[in-house]
Amino acid sequence: MAELTVAEKLKNMFELQLVDSQIDEIQILKGELPIEVSDLEDDIAGLETRISRLENTVKDLEDEVSKHQANITEANALIDRYEKQMDNVKNNREYDALSKEIEMQRLEIQLSNKKIKGTKEEVFKKEETLKATQDRLASKQADLKTKKVELEQIIEKTDKDEKKLRALSDKAREKVEDRLMRAYDKIRTSYRNGLAVVTVERDACGGCFNQIPPQMQLEIAQRKKIIACEHCGRILVDDSLVDEVRDKVDGVSSVTE
């Protein structure tokens, strides 16, 4: 195969850039939705775990209240029994002993009532937290449902176009020699907008917008050597390449128009 001219190399790289930029636009269209969906799923799993723990805590506290109530019932029964026994005491010693037992059971009732009050207050607080957490869960689940629908709609709308563009990108990459391909990929990953090959627009670099000297612009237009912006390192091409290349890649992605 004959060695490609510099002009052909620049044209091939610019064609690749236009295709990759359309792929980037699809990813921008999806935006943060995939991350948001994943984060919401994690949040929901955490909230469900918290709700389960709160429900178990409330149940344990209610069981504790039931135990204290059972203690009160038992203490009242003992008091009734001791009071009946007092009617048949034979001496002061037996009377005092029964009186002491009755007093102890009354203290036990007071203590149980105090514990019931404190535990019920704790149950109330936990139930409030549980309700707030359940409301938060419902809100997150609604958000997740909405985000999933949005993402599915975008994927459905862009999937066909993205596959076509990626096929075009793979085909375009085959036309670029390895050395230039490595430089292209390195520059693309260095900038958030993914631009590695840019045109000179209004006497400035189309990537960093720094001014390009007239002599350099002339050399770029001649396409006799590959010239990079001295400020950002992006490969520069003259804007007349746009019309030559764009027809090959335009019209593939309807969602980016």
Side-chain angles (χ1 to χ4, degrees):
M1 182 183 290
E3 176 71 20
L4 295 176
T5 65
V6 172
E8 289 171 328
K9 291 177 181 179
L10 288 168
K11 189 174 181 179
N12 289 339
M13 291 184 72
F14 190 56
E15 179 184 340
L16 174 61
Q17 178 67 73
L18 291 181
V19 173
D20 285 344
S21 290
Q22 288 199 45
I23 295 172
D24 292 341
E25 286 178 25
I26 290 176
Q27 300 310 311
I28 291 170
L29 186 63
K30 292 178 183 176
E32 299 295 322
L33 277 175
I35 296 173
E36 290 175 8
V37 166
S38 178
D39 288 345
L40 281 168
E41 288 174 339
D42 290 342
D43 289 345
I44 286 170
L47 288 170
E48 287 175 340
T49 299
R50 189 180 184 197
I51 286 171
S52 178
R53 289 175 180 171
L54 284 167
E55 288 174 339
N56 288 334
T57 299
V58 169
K59 184 179 182 302
D60 290 342
L61 289 170
E62 288 175 341
D63 288 344
E64 189 176 332
V65 169
S66 296
K67 288 178 182 178
H68 291 312
Q69 288 172 336
N71 287 339
I72 291 173
T73 300
E74 184 180 352
N76 279 322
L78 287 172
I79 289 172
D80 288 342
R81 191 176 77 185
Y82 294 147
E83 285 178 342
K84 288 178 181 178
Q85 289 178 357
M86 289 181 75
D87 293 335
N88 299 314
V89 295
K90 297 178 180 179
N91 53 56
N92 288 338
R93 184 177 178 182
E94 289 182 4
Y95 183 87
D96 290 341
L98 288 170
S99 296
K100 188 174 181 180
E101 286 295 333
I102 290 171
E103 184 61 26
M104 286 180 64
Q105 294 307 316
R106 285 174 177 165
L107 289 173
E108 185 68 28
I109 290 170
Q110 288 179 5
L111 180 60
S112 292
N113 279 325
K114 184 177 179 180
K115 287 182 177 179
I116 286 172
K117 182 180 178 182
T119 304
K120 283 185 174 181
E121 288 175 354
E122 188 67 20
V123 168
F124 179 76
K125 291 177 183 178
K126 293 295 181 184
E127 285 179 336
E128 280 192 325
T129 303
L130 177 60
K131 178 65 169 57
T133 307
Q134 288 171 332
D135 290 343
R136 196 172 162 202
L137 174 62
S139 176
K140 293 279 186 182
Q141 287 172 329
D143 286 346
L144 178 61
K145 185 178 180 180
T146 301
K147 297 290 184 185
K148 277 188 170 181
V149 169
E150 289 177 15
L151 183 57
E152 286 168 3
Q153 288 174 343
I154 292 173
I155 289 173
E156 182 180 356
K157 188 177 181 182
T158 61
D159 188 54
K160 186 177 179 180
D161 290 337
E162 187 172 354
K163 285 178 180 177
K164 287 181 180 179
L165 287 167
R166 290 198 181 279
L168 274 179
S169 178
D170 291 340
K171 187 176 180 180
R173 291 175 77 90
E174 293 174 359
K175 300 177 185 178
V176 181
E177 61 185 69
D178 291 343
R179 176 180 62 85
L180 292 176
M181 197 69 256
R182 287 194 295 271
Y184 172 87
D185 287 335
K186 184 177 180 180
I187 297 169
R188 254 181 70 77
T189 55
S190 298
Y191 298 102
R192 292 182 64 184
N193 61 12
L195 293 178
V197 184
V198 296
T199 58
V200 177
E201 302 173 7
R202 297 181 182 178
D203 302 326
C205 170
C208 66
F209 309 112
N210 279 292
Q211 289 295 305
I212 304 298
Q215 180 59 37
M216 184 179 288
Q217 290 185 51
L218 182 60
E219 293 175 355
I220 292 168
Q222 291 173 344
R223 305 183 198 174
K224 291 183 178 179
K225 60 180 179 179
I226 293 174
I227 298 173
C229 174
E230 59 186 13
H231 299 285
C232 67
R234 292 180 173 92
I235 298 167
L236 298 169
V237 297
D238 60 293
D239 58 8
S240 64
L241 259 184
V242 175
D243 294 333
E244 296 178 34
V245 174
R246 192 174 294 280
D247 288 342
K248 292 186 178 182
V249 296
D250 270 1
V252 175
S253 178
S254 59
V255 295
T256 58
E257 294 177 354

